[in-house]
Amino acid sequence: MRSKLQNSNGGCATRRLFLKGGAAAGVAAVAAPAGAQAGEPITLTMQSLWAEGSLLQQMARQYVDRVEKMSGGRLMIDLLPVGSVAEPFEIQEACNSGKIDAAHLTSAYWFNTHSAASLFGTGPSFGVDPSQLLAWVEVGGGKELYRELVQDVMGLNLVGFYCMPMPAQPLGWFSERVTSLEQLQGLRYRTVGLAADVMEGIGMHVSRMPGGQIIPALDAGSIDAFEYNNPTSDLELGAHEARPVYMMSSFHQAGEFFEVIFNKDRFDALPADLQAILQYSVEAASQANFSLAMDSYSRSLQALIDEHGVEVYRTPQSILEAQLDAWDKVIERLSEDEFYRRVIDSQREWAKRVGFYSLMNETDNRLAYNHHYPGLLDR
C-alpha cells in the first residue's frame, strides 16, 4: 500500500470549504485580538506542506503544542495539512495575503518566487553541517538577510523563523546501484530549489515538483529517479515500492530547515508576550524535531533494509566531488547579483571560521563507529 503522501496535494475538503467560507471572519478577529473577551483564546490558522499523520506533520505539531502550552492556552493554532487552503508552491502567498495566518514549510517551496530562497535551505554547505548553518541564521547575520529578502526585496507582509537542522538529504532512489558519474548523466530526476541547478550541472535532467507528485511522475515515466527528504518520509512516500536502491549522502541538499512564517499584520497585532512565544517556541521545537528525527530516521532506514529488502549504498566520492564543482558554477552565477553575493559571502565567512574550529576539534566518528561496530559501514 502506497503512502498517503501520494494524495497529499488534495488536502481536506471539509476544512477547505470551511476556510473559504466562514474562516474570513475568524481571521479578521485574530488581526485585532484586543477586542476578544477576557480569557477567550486567540486562534491562528496554520497550513503546513505535510500530509496528515506524516512525520513532518508531527514535527509541525510539536511546534504547535509548545506554543499552546507556553501560552497557557491563550494562543491556539489550528494546524492544517498540505492542500487544505493553498497548494504547495502557493503557500507563501496564501500567508502573505492573509488567507492563512501562518505556515510551516521549507524555503525551497517558494524558490520559483525568488530563487534566493534556496540560500536559506538547499544551498551550498561550505563545509559546515546543518546545525552550524542554522547557527549562521541565528547569530551570523542570516536572519537579517532573510528579513531583507522577504520584506524589502520581495515586499511581502511576512515574518518568519527557522528551526530543525535537517541532516543532509540522500542522493535518492534509483533502479540500480550508482557507482559512477556517467550513470547519472541523462537521467530524469526530481529535486527542488538550487539543488536542481546542481544536479543539472552534473548532467541530469531535473524536474522540480512537490512530494505528492513524485510517485505519479514515476508511474507516468516522466522521471527515472528522485530524492525526497529522509528515510522516514521516503518510507511514508512508498519510495521503496518504486525503486529498489537507496543512495545515501549528497551535497545537493546538504542542510535544510523548516521555515515557520506568519502574516505580519496578524503577528504584529498580537500582544508582545504571545509574539515572543511564537518566536521562541521555534527554538524549543527545533530540539524536539531533531530528537524525533534521529530516532525515526534511523529506525526507518533499518526497516527499509530488513523488512523491505532495499539496497542501501553510500554515494561514491567522485559524484560528491562533481557536485561540489557544480556548486562552484552555481555560486559564481548567483554572485553576479548584489543581494545573492552578500548572502553567499556571509555564509562563506561564517563557514570558514566555524568549520575550521569544528573540523579541527571534532573526533572522527567514523573511526569510533568502526571500532565498536566493525563492518557495518562497508557498503
Side-chain angles (χ1 to χ4, degrees):
M1 179 177 173
R2 282 186 177 162
S3 161
K4 60 195 100 176
L5 289 180
Q6 293 180 41
N7 299 315
S8 64
N9 291 345
C12 174
T14 303
R15 279 192 162 176
R16 188 185 299 114
L17 290 172
F18 167 77
L19 287 162
K20 287 183 176 179
V27 169
V30 171
Q37 296 180 359
E40 182 180 338
I42 297 166
T43 300
L44 302 180
T45 299
M46 170 183 279
Q47 185 191 307
S48 77
L49 277 174
W50 326 118
E52 195 66 64
S54 68
L55 179 73
L56 300 184
Q57 186 74 342
Q58 291 178 49
M59 292 178 177
R61 175 62 61 188
Q62 287 182 316
Y63 171 71
V64 168
D65 289 345
R66 280 154 180 75
V67 168
E68 294 178 353
K69 290 176 182 176
M70 289 181 185
S71 69
R74 293 170 54 215
L75 184 58
M76 308 297 289
I77 297 179
D78 184 17
L79 179 63
L80 308 178
V82 62
S84 297
V85 181
E87 295 304 313
F89 290 152
E90 300 169 0
I91 192 169
Q92 184 194 57
E93 176 52 33
C95 192
N96 173 61
S97 66
K99 288 183 180 178
I100 52 177
D101 302 314
H104 191 279
L105 67 162
T106 60
S107 296
Y109 274 77
W110 48 273
F111 176 88
N112 289 338
T113 305
H114 200 295
S115 57
S118 243
L119 297 178
F120 299 89
T122 71
S125 75
F126 295 121
V128 293
D129 67 26
S131 294
Q132 293 160 347
L133 190 59
L134 184 56
W136 166 79
V137 172
E138 289 299 313
V139 301
K143 64 183 177 184
E144 291 80 10
L145 287 163
Y146 168 77
R147 188 215 61 78
E148 180 182 348
L149 172 63
V150 171
Q151 296 182 9
D152 298 342
V153 176
M154 300 175 68
L156 298 179
N157 186 37
L158 296 174
V159 59
F161 312 101
Y162 284 97
C163 68
M164 173 46 177
M166 298 183 187
Q169 297 185 18
L171 184 66
W173 294 84
F174 297 84
S175 296
E176 61 182 2
R177 181 179 182 178
V178 179
T179 59
S180 69
L181 181 63
E182 289 70 27
Q183 286 175 263
L184 297 181
Q185 293 172 346
L187 278 184
R188 297 167 299 175
Y189 180 81
R190 178 271 178 192
T191 189
V192 293
L194 284 175
D197 297 49
V198 172
M199 301 309 271
E200 286 173 351
I202 64 173
M204 304 185 85
H205 301 302
V206 182
S207 297
R208 295 182 176 95
M209 65 181 68
Q213 295 179 13
I214 293 174
I215 300 300
L218 284 168
D219 291 342
S222 57
I223 58 173
D224 304 307
F226 65 96
E227 62 81 30
Y228 182 49
N229 192 284
N230 64 77
T232 301
S233 296
D234 291 357
L235 180 61
E236 292 172 344
L237 184 72
H240 57 289
E241 298 175 1
R243 294 292 183 269
V245 174
Y246 199 20
M247 300 299 302
M248 307 290 289
S249 182
S250 180
F251 280 117
H252 76 285
Q253 289 180 271
E256 189 173 19
F257 326 111
F258 288 133
E259 181 187 12
V260 182
I261 60 174
F262 299 90
N263 178 279
K264 191 173 185 299
D265 290 340
R266 307 291 191 266
F267 185 86
D268 289 346
L270 293 169
D273 64 327
L274 296 185
Q275 291 181 20
I277 287 171
L278 288 176
Q279 177 178 352
Y280 296 117
S281 291
V282 171
E283 296 180 6
S286 190
Q287 180 59 55
N289 289 171
F290 187 78
S291 299
L292 178 60
M294 290 301 95
D295 182 45
S296 185
Y297 293 1
S298 59
R299 290 179 186 276
S300 294
L301 183 60
Q302 289 303 311
L304 286 167
I305 296 169
D306 298 338
E307 299 172 23
H308 300 286
V310 170
E311 299 175 46
V312 176
Y313 304 102
R314 187 166 172 85
T315 300
Q317 186 80 6
S318 59
I319 294 174
L320 299 176
E321 291 172 353
Q323 289 179 327
L324 291 175
D325 290 339
W327 265 120
D328 287 343
K329 294 181 174 62
V330 172
I331 291 167
E332 181 180 6
R333 172 174 56 81
L334 293 178
S335 295
E336 296 174 0
D337 177 274
E338 186 269 342
F339 179 78
Y340 286 83
R341 185 171 61 254
R342 285 195 289 120
V343 177
I344 290 169
D345 286 349
S346 178
Q347 290 180 343
R348 276 186 185 276
E349 181 181 355
W350 173 266
K352 183 177 181 181
R353 174 167 54 87
V354 173
F356 179 79
Y357 158 72
S358 178
L359 293 170
M360 286 295 289
N361 185 63
E362 68 184 18
T363 55
D364 187 340
N365 288 328
R366 177 174 285 268
L367 177 66
Y369 191 92
N370 282 328
H371 175 81
H372 293 289
Y373 315 105
L376 289 183
L377 293 179
D378 297 338
R379 294 179 180 273

